[in-house]
Amino acid sequence: MYHYDAFDQAFVDARVAQFRDQVARRLSGELTEEQFRPHRLMNGLYLQLHSSMLRVAVPYGTLNSRQMRKLAEIARTYDRGYGHFTTRQNIQYNWPALKDTPDILAELASVEMHAIQTSGNCIRNVTADHFAGVAHDEIADPRPYAEILRQWSSLHPEFSFLPRKFKIAVNGAAHDRAVIQAHDIGLQVVRNEAGELGFTVYVGGGLGRTPFIGRKVREFLPERDLLGYVEAILRVYNLEGRRDNKYKARIKILLHEKSLETLKAEIEAEFAARDRTLLDLPPAEVARVAAFFAPPALEPKRAVSDRVERRKGKDARFASFFASNATPHKTPGYVVVTVSLKPIGAPPGDASADQMDAVADLAKDYSQDEIRVSHEQNLILPHVALDDLPAVYDRLASVGLATPNAGAISDIIACPGLDYCALATARSIPIAERIARTFGDGARSKAIGPLKIKISGCINACGHHHVGHIGILGLERAGEETYQITLGGSGDENAAIGQIVGPGFSSENVVGAVETIVETYMGLRTDDTETFLDAFRRVGIAPFKEALYERSAGSDI
């Protein structure tokens, strides 16, 4: 993983000192909240329903054990003993006191972490595939490019006050695990016919009030042109993006209003007009950054572990964990372990300080001192020897982190919702907990197969509900929480926005509605290998509508 040099450390330390002064002036009354607001947002500090919330960047989702232990220490010292991992591969603390936030940032800086640009109308934390560097289908590790973009964009003077927030994701594999088409800029690593590395570029994706799938603006962008082309996109957006209406300020709206062809032409004209000597990406610089992400020297092992096979034969729970949470590594004899932060009936994405310490210890002992945060709000141990999996499983189980549900119906993405967020219009966490309890992580879940449920507590769609196979949006209607359901969304390489199934459901009835949808799917599928998404794309929305509104009394029409 990337390590700070002297410039990086001085940069982050200076930012901490600057924010410490800003907080002192706010606490003394020298700065009003209106004056302080842009400063706190650029340092990841929000005002939520009950307290401040601090969002800490985990660039492209990569951590080491020392950093994870620091996150645990901050949770114990300055919060209520836990943190919440998010869909942008960040961690949020929900209860820090304003007076403590400079000390938290100083603690983070001591382990090469920060909260810079985790909020505000700027380029946010650049995200990437959480299986980067270890996946069989990988074309190239996307993290060096994400790191180059991070360095280039941090406090960029031209792009620190954009019309609206701006999100970039990079995927390096054939399968999109980074949801790149739901980002303002999505970059897919590809090779051209000559074998040269470059990017397919998508622009204008985004969820929220007006969801759009990103549109392709370049089939192949040479690696050397990465920064120049991204800069051209941002310049066009910064000049032409709307600032009169925050609901129409994202680049997705600019693309929609101008047309893809017009926006492409403007981007290409801006790109052609640049000074090539300034932003061409030298191969030596790519190689220098890529060296930080060189794969560990793993000794290939037998593809089948006798130890694992014996344990599977006598421990059904371990066998389920192996089937769902262990993914083959590109090096034979190793697996990538998904540590589910979705125990049945608990808030998705939360981890206690003790659990964070336990994962840090496991990373040190069994995973080359490396941890990943996925956009699906789970943690990843990317380099576990197959023979070590039983020991890893036992230690995860001892701290409540061995739930065998990665990719299953109870592996739910959910935002904090109305329990914490000042913008939310309905609760997300209780709905996720009830759905998880309904389906569990046993035989019923296994029979259903892979199914992604995503829940948002407001129209801002922090829970990615638009791209859930089953998406749930919480809204306030006449003083009551109402849940609108969408079906058929997807965040992978075949990205799609879910279709609204019909009128919403009350908090009391929404879980029953999800059960009806699942039961309808089970009755419609051709066999037990046909996934929910495949079945939906085959039969369409009509059978689900009929089941929900014509054969069911559970809807609140």
Side-chain angles (χ1 to χ4, degrees), residues 23-31:
V23 169
R25 287 188 287 146
R26 173 69 188 110
L27 291 172
S28 71
E30 185 179 344
L31 290 178

Side-chain angles (χ1 to χ4, degrees), residues 139-160:
I139 300 155
D141 192 330
R143 293 174 300 164
Y145 304 110
E147 172 59 28
I148 288 167
L149 287 164
R150 185 193 71 82
Q151 292 189 23
W152 168 79
S153 64
S154 293
L155 302 188
H156 193 300
E158 189 173 351
F159 305 133
S160 289

Side-chain angles (χ1 to χ4, degrees), residues 22 54 84 87 102 160 168 175 178 198 236 249 289-290 333 357 362 365 396 435 451-452 471 488 528-529:
Q22 291 164 348
L54 182 67
H84 175 74
T87 54
S160 289
I168 302 174
H175 179 49
V236 170
V289 176
D357 278 337
L362 286 168
D365 294 343
L396 288 171
I435 292 172
L451 204 166
K452 296 182 183 294
D528 60 7
T529 65

Side-chain angles (χ1 to χ4, degrees), residues 250 309 372 379 398 426 436:
R250 299 289 292 271
E309 295 306 307
R372 309 284 177 79
L379 301 177
S398 72

